[in-house]
Amino acid sequence: MRMLKPRCGLCEELIFSGSYIRALNSEWHLNHFSCWHCDVSLNGKRYVLTDDHPCCISCYEENFTNRCRVCTNKIGLDSRDISYKDQHWHESCFTCFRCSLSLLEKAFAVKHEKSYCEVCYDREFSSRCESCEEVFQPGTRKIQYKSKQWHDSCFHCKVCKTKVEEIDGRTSSVGIAKDVLIIKVGSKSFIIPNDKDIYCVRCFEDKIATKCTKCKNILTTGGVTFRNEPWHKECFVCVHCNGQLAGQKFASREDKPYCAVCFGELFAKRCASCSQPITGQGGTRFISFEGRHWHSMCFICALCQKSMAGKGFITDGEDIICPDCAKDKLMGPG
């Protein structure tokens, strides 16, 4: 008789009752076929096998399912779990973060825990040519300097279209001159003055480089600006004596620069007393009267030599005299 009665898969006792459950290649007492986690009866209910043990749907979804990366809800048995590495999505949530296109059965990429279709990923994250702004396709030959990259076909002089030959994708030397990037590839040097446009050295010097107003040669180091025009320091000189003006006081007349000395000698008013030019350099004040001019310190009484600056005075021919001296001169000796 014992050979005819099955044993319960849980308690391993013989099942004498005529009613029992057959599941998972075993027989079970009706009250012993239950959820391994909560002991709820699974008789006539859906269940999931976990680690060789039956589990009710509620316990399975609570303990064994993943949370969706997008909506953060549990991914239950009623939804397909789409997984990539350690990330999971509901089938309906597995869409491009940017365009919302479904990514099922499509190429996709994940960046910063967000999924993108191929087109949107390329648009936002793929390296682009500095010149044409197109994405670099796999296998594309390119020239690269730090974060800047160009297609080999796009890396050419903007003016003459000269290209580099036998490109190996690497720059042999790089330099900075006067805030201008210089890249040398192979035997050719190219200049990038604004992080975008490319010029060969010859075209850059002909079309772009700053040239001295006087000698017309290129300024490779700091120069002087006069009337919004660039000059070499050694070219910026007084037009009268050829003395260098860089770092010196100077004046201009008819758009021409003069050192302070030459300007005073050539164009300044002259003091009626000392005959020296009144240049105004150093804040020098001067006095004018009836077409004549004096340095402030030269404007003195012709008789007593006292300063007349800011005081009343009387003219006596070419002389300037103070009122006291004028009175004495008028009244005569005593």
Side-chain angles (χ1 to χ4, degrees):
M1 176 181 292
R2 292 184 62 183
M3 298 300 295
L4 299 177
K5 296 294 183 180
R7 288 185 180 274
C8 177
L10 178 65
C11 67
E12 297 185 352
E13 296 292 330
L14 292 173
I15 302 174
F16 291 100
S17 171
S19 298
Y20 60 88
I21 296 174
R22 183 173 180 81
L24 305 179
N25 297 320
S26 297
E27 289 76 24
W28 311 74
H29 287 107
L30 293 178
N31 61 337
H32 283 176
F33 188 63
S34 60
C35 175
W36 188 260
H37 294 273
C38 68
D39 289 331
V40 68
S41 174
L42 297 177
N43 187 14
K45 298 179 181 178
R46 295 171 62 202
Y47 65 89
V48 180
L49 189 64
T50 60
D51 298 328
D52 295 329
H53 300 296
C55 180
C56 69
I57 301 302
S58 296
C59 287
Y60 175 80
E61 292 185 342
E62 178 64 29
N63 297 292
F64 297 98
T65 56
N66 300 296
R67 287 194 178 274
C68 176
R69 171 63 63 184
V70 176
C71 70
T72 71
N73 293 324
K74 288 280 188 175
I75 303 174
L77 292 175
D78 58 344
S79 177
R80 179 181 171 188
D81 185 335
I82 307 298
S83 64
Y84 173 73
K85 294 185 177 180
D86 60 344
Q87 301 185 67
H88 301 266
W89 297 266
H90 287 106
E91 183 175 3
S92 59
C93 293
F94 190 52
T95 59
C96 175
F97 174 76
R98 187 58 62 199
C99 70
S100 299
L101 178 72
S102 174
L103 299 177
L104 291 175
E105 310 302 330
K106 293 182 175 65
F108 71 95
V110 177
K111 186 80 169 181
H112 305 314
E113 299 186 349
K114 295 180 176 63
S115 51
Y116 297 85
C117 67
E118 189 174 18
V119 174
C120 290
Y121 183 86
D122 285 345
R123 184 178 297 122
E124 296 212 9
F125 302 110
S126 293
S127 299
R128 293 178 179 274
C129 175
E130 294 288 334
S131 180
C132 69
E133 299 184 353
E134 293 295 325
V135 172
F136 289 102
Q137 299 302 321
T140 300
R141 298 172 68 190
K142 56 188 176 182
I143 293 177
Q144 183 172 348
Y145 170 66
K146 292 186 176 180
S147 61
K148 299 182 181 298
Q149 300 179 89
W150 296 265
H151 291 107
D152 60 349
S153 58
C154 292
F155 194 84
H156 57 74
C157 176
K158 183 177 181 180
V159 179
C160 69
K161 310 304 180 184
T162 296
K163 298 182 180 180
V164 289
E165 299 172 357
E166 299 178 287
I167 296 173
D168 61 6
R170 294 174 296 175
T171 56
S172 59
S173 63
V174 178
I176 300 291
K178 208 176 188 301
D179 300 324
V180 172
L181 176 64
I182 302 175
I183 296 180
K184 186 173 183 180
V185 185
S187 61
K188 292 184 173 64
S189 293
F190 292 83
I191 298 175
I192 306 175
N194 55 10
D195 290 336
K196 187 175 180 65
D197 295 326
I198 302 168
Y199 299 88
C200 67
V201 174
R202 184 181 62 184
C203 290
F204 179 80
E205 292 179 349
D206 289 344
K207 306 292 184 181
I208 305 299
T210 302
K211 297 181 178 63
C212 175
T213 302
K214 182 177 182 180
C215 71
K216 309 304 179 184
N217 292 323
I218 295 172
L219 274 77
T220 57
T221 57
V224 175
T225 299
F226 173 64
R227 301 190 64 83
N228 295 321
E229 295 178 333
W231 305 66
H232 288 113
K233 289 182 178 180
E234 57 272 20
C235 291
F236 188 59
V237 297
C238 173
V239 296
H240 186 68
C241 70
N242 285 325
Q244 288 195 15
L245 299 178
Q248 307 296 322
K249 292 181 178 180
F250 67 92
S252 65
R253 187 179 181 88
E254 296 179 354
D255 296 339
K256 296 178 181 179
Y258 295 84
C259 67
V261 174
C262 289
F263 186 85
E265 291 293 335
L266 295 173
F267 307 111
K269 297 177 175 64
R270 293 192 173 270
C271 177
S273 177
C274 69
S275 300
Q276 296 299 312
I278 302 174
T279 62
Q281 295 293 330
T284 301
R285 299 174 61 185
F286 68 94
I287 297 169
S288 297
F289 178 70
E290 293 184 350
R292 291 188 293 167
H293 311 279
W294 294 264
H295 291 109
S296 180
M297 70 285 295
C298 293
F299 192 62
I300 59 177
C301 175
L303 299 179
C304 68
Q305 307 300 307
K306 292 182 179 179
S307 173
M308 301 299 299
K311 299 178 182 179
F313 62 88
I314 296 172
T315 60
D316 183 17
E318 295 293 319
D319 295 333
I320 299 294
I321 58 177
C322 66
D324 290 338
C325 289
K327 181 178 178 182
D328 291 342
K329 184 175 182 180
L330 180 63
M331 295 180 65

